[in-house]
Amino acid sequence: MYKDDTIYYPQDEMNTFLLPITSGCSYNKCAFCSMYKDVKYCQVPFPDIEMQLRSGDLYTEKVFLTGADPMSIGFDKMKRLLDLIHRYLPYCARVASYASIKNISRYSVEELSILHDSGLRLLYIGFETGRDDVLELMNKGHTVNEAIQQATKLNEAKIQFNTVVMYGIAGKGESVDNALATARMINQFITSRVITMNLTVFYGTELDSRVKKGDFIPPDGKERLLEIKTLLETLEPKQSMIFDTTHPTNIIKIQGTLPKDKEMLIGKVKKCMSGF
């Protein structure tokens, strides 16, 4: 049950009011993920949500919806939820959430625009890679074209989002090509931030089984750094965006604004590569 769940949230939301909305993952099939494997998906009942909101600080300015993908509850419930947040936390200016391409596709532009106007202002989305073969290998549940379509839809609805990508995910010898493909994908929409994560092989996952069988060979550290460098070199944002590798999984911690800080960031990656 959700009350005993481990709560996952982005490091930028460390001081944000956390509001449980779902338990487990509505998809729960990604080959690399172990977070929700033993948790049955369910939605937190609205009376419980309302109780949490009543206990919140009236002057709360930011709320983060917890669960693998709260957008899975659908438009009607999400609108009701945002209205509840506004009722109990009238000073809240921004509601944020994790989201998947698969579940965003269930919403129309008009519905997303309504949710934006009701307070949903930021999504953290796992795009992972710009290669269809890798998405299929990792059983991600969406294609590159679908990712671009949903990102463009969010742009039209004016909902900002952070693009989460994973280096090392394509395997040994594939990092440069993966970076090029991922940058090409990101260059086709506007995102507030690109957040990188370093592929981690978690015990008991489908990916762990493939690695043990020798069906998937992760790249070494230097190749992973080359992937970050290539991604930085190839990104051409339509407007300023943050490039962020400060997540704990990363083998290098850098952050800056593209395109302004591109050369500085590339220089830091090159310096790190020289140590391998």
Side-chain angles (χ1 to χ4, degrees):
M1 183 58 182
Y2 77 92
K3 292 179 182 178
D4 300 317
D5 286 354
T6 299
I7 301 296
Y8 299 99
Y9 54 89
Q11 59 185 15
D12 287 346
E13 307 295 340
M14 190 175 298
N15 298 313
T16 302
F17 180 81
L18 303 176
L19 183 63
I21 302 301
T22 62
S23 177
C25 178
S26 62
Y27 180 66
N28 208 17
K29 296 176 182 176
C30 295
F32 55 81
C33 184
S34 64
M35 290 193 294
Y36 305 100
K37 292 301 181 189
D38 299 319
V39 182
K40 184 178 179 180
Y41 172 78
C42 70
Q43 298 177 10
V44 177
F46 267 90
D48 289 12
I49 293 173
E50 200 162 357
M51 189 184 306
Q52 290 284 329
L53 288 170
R54 282 200 191 103
S55 68
D57 181 348
L58 179 68
Y59 297 101
T60 295
E61 295 181 352
K62 295 193 301 180
V63 171
F64 183 79
L65 311 178
T66 68
D69 183 4
M71 294 292 282
S72 63
I73 68 175
F75 172 74
D76 290 339
K77 289 181 179 179
M78 185 60 73
K79 178 65 169 65
R80 178 183 172 190
L81 170 62
L82 294 170
D83 290 344
L84 271 179
I85 292 172
H86 181 68
R87 182 195 307 171
Y88 288 103
L89 306 175
Y91 294 93
C92 178
R94 194 213 71 182
V95 177
S97 173
Y98 285 127
S100 69
I101 296 298
K102 193 174 184 67
N103 279 323
I104 293 168
S105 68
R106 299 170 57 195
Y107 294 78
S108 67
V109 173
E110 292 73 22
E111 288 173 337
L112 291 169
S113 295
I114 291 169
L115 296 182
H116 168 271
D117 293 344
S118 299
L120 183 64
R121 300 297 167 84
L122 179 64
L123 298 176
Y124 293 77
I125 306 172
F127 286 78
E128 318 306 356
T129 172
R131 280 177 50 174
D132 278 328
D133 61 329
V134 180
L135 288 169
E136 184 176 359
L137 179 70
M138 295 298 165
N139 202 25
K140 186 61 188 173
H142 71 256
T143 66
V144 175
N145 281 339
E146 287 168 347
I148 294 169
Q149 289 169 5
Q150 300 313 311
T152 304
K153 199 162 75 175
L154 290 170
N155 288 163
E156 190 174 344
K158 299 181 180 179
I159 295 181
Q160 295 186 3
F161 61 91
N162 293 333
T163 298
V164 182
V165 297
M166 190 177 293
Y167 57 90
I169 195 172
K172 183 178 180 180
E174 298 291 333
S175 292
V176 169
D177 186 74
N178 190 63
L180 292 171
T182 301
R184 284 196 297 269
M185 174 185 69
I186 296 170
N187 288 342
Q188 296 187 59
F189 51 78
I190 296 169
T191 183
S192 301
R193 183 183 299 241
V194 171
I195 298 172
T196 68
M197 296 182 69
N198 181 22
L199 176 71
T200 304
V201 180
F202 291 103
Y203 175 78
T205 60
E206 185 180 336
L207 180 60
D208 179 43
S209 177
R210 291 178 191 168
V211 170
K212 287 175 179 175
K213 291 176 183 177
D215 296 334
F216 182 90
I217 302 174
D220 62 19
K222 189 164 187 177
E223 185 179 346
R224 295 184 194 222
L225 286 169
L226 177 60
E227 184 167 350
I228 298 173
K229 174 176 165 289
T230 305
L231 181 62
L232 271 168
E233 290 171 338
T234 316
L235 284 169
E236 297 177 355
K238 299 176 185 293
Q239 63 183 44
S240 292
M241 73 178 183
I242 296 171
F243 187 85
D244 181 356
T245 76
T246 61
H247 186 274
T249 62
N250 285 284
I251 54 180
I252 181 173
K253 307 291 193 293
I254 56 174
Q255 182 173 304
T257 301
L258 299 180
K260 177 174 66 74
D261 298 327
K262 177 180 277 197
E263 294 308 316
M264 178 270 289
L265 293 170
I266 291 172
K268 288 187 175 182
V269 179
K270 285 181 176 178
K271 184 177 180 180
C272 189
M273 288 177 70
S274 68
F276 275 76

